[in-house]
Amino acid sequence: MSFNIFLKNIPLRIKTVEVRRYLGEYRGITEVPEKVSIIIEKLLTTSRIFINASASSREFKILSWSESEVKTEVMTLPGRDIAKLLKETRDVIFCATTIGEALEKEVNRLLEERKTLEAAILDAIGSTAADTAMDYLNNLLKAEATRKGLKLTRRYSPGYGDLPLSIQEDLVKFSGGDRLGITVSPSHMLIPRKSVTAIIGVMKA
């Protein structure tokens, strides 16, 4: 295995606690009502038919570094925050995951039927699934780094800190996200909406 990965039909284990977090539950301070918990469990089961998780990652060399940008062999990453993250790295991995568009269509159908609670819960399940797919990919990359005697930085996504959303189109292209069916809107939003892109640095252990 290398850091260049392409996966379809990823088996996801979606954690209830993460779905509840997306719905506003926070460390015992706020709590999702019992009736909502029942609906969450029901939708976690039925949501499986709407989730088709896939992932892609590609590794590229870093050509130059400054405090305000990092130049890779395929694109430039602007911003002090990403530059700080990648300061000690030699390569970079571009990542993309998606769960497809079926769940989003089902959320819209529920909204049309004015089933707003069910729609909100299913949307939270979709967000959790997209993040879980990225966690799955991240764990594979970590295992490969360990095997090679390397280590990875934490992952970083457009929109975090001063890393602009305007790089999404290039990031989707060079991560292989376009092969997963991911596109980017004129306002730099990912389509399907339940998709995630990320940047991870590779360094010596």
Side-chain angles (χ1 to χ4, degrees):
M1 184 188 293
S2 70
F3 293 127
N4 297 325
I5 294 174
F6 185 81
L7 297 170
K8 302 283 277 187
N9 303 312
I10 298 172
L12 297 183
R13 184 183 175 192
I14 302 171
K15 295 180 179 179
T16 304
V17 65
E18 292 299 317
V19 176
R20 296 167 73 99
R21 182 178 64 82
Y22 267 104
L23 291 169
E25 188 168 271
Y26 183 73
R27 297 181 182 178
I29 298 174
T30 56
E31 189 172 348
V32 171
E34 181 61 27
K35 70 173 186 177
V36 174
S37 297
I38 294 171
I39 300 173
I40 290 173
E41 295 305 320
K42 178 182 176 182
L43 287 176
L44 273 171
T45 299
T46 59
S47 67
R48 294 171 186 167
I49 64 173
F50 302 114
I51 295 172
N52 184 14
S54 56
S56 180
S57 64
R58 289 177 180 164
E59 179 185 13
F60 297 98
K61 292 189 179 300
I62 291 176
L63 300 181
S64 66
W65 179 93
S66 74
E67 291 186 354
S68 59
E69 69 175 22
V70 177
K71 290 185 178 180
T72 77
E73 57 185 313
V74 292
M75 63 182 289
T76 297
L77 305 173
R80 290 181 172 273
D81 293 328
I82 193 67
K84 183 177 180 181
L85 180 73
L86 300 178
K87 185 174 182 179
E88 305 297 329
T89 61
R90 62 178 197 178
D91 295 316
V92 66
I93 307 170
F94 297 146
C95 308
T97 60
T98 185
I99 65 166
E101 59 183 4
L103 183 138
E104 189 174 347
K105 289 180 178 179
E106 178 64 9
V107 168
N108 291 335
R109 186 189 70 79
L110 290 170
L111 288 172
E112 288 174 0
E113 294 182 0
R114 299 190 178 183
K115 296 179 179 179
T116 54
L117 177 57
E118 289 86 348
I121 293 171
L122 189 60
D123 188 76
I125 290 171
S127 296
T128 305
D131 286 341
T132 303
M134 183 58 78
D135 289 340
Y136 186 94
L137 176 61
N138 204 161
N139 288 335
L140 286 179
L141 294 170
K142 284 180 181 178
E144 179 65 4
T146 299
R147 190 184 71 80
K148 291 181 174 182
L150 302 169
K151 66 178 182 179
L152 305 181
T153 66
R154 63 189 173 91
R155 65 180 187 246
Y156 207 83
S157 295
Y160 290 6
D162 61 358
L163 184 65
L165 287 173
S166 58
I167 70 166
Q168 285 284 34
E169 190 169 0
D170 281 342
L171 189 52
V172 166
K173 176 182 176 181
F174 294 120
S175 65
D178 52 350
R179 293 177 63 200
L180 305 178
I182 301 174
T183 59
V184 181
S185 75
S187 58
H188 312 302
M189 296 294 104
L190 297 177
I191 304 168
R193 200 162 51 86
K194 300 306 181 185
S195 303
V196 181
T197 56
I199 298 162
I200 302 173
V202 183
M203 65 180 74
K204 293 181 179 180

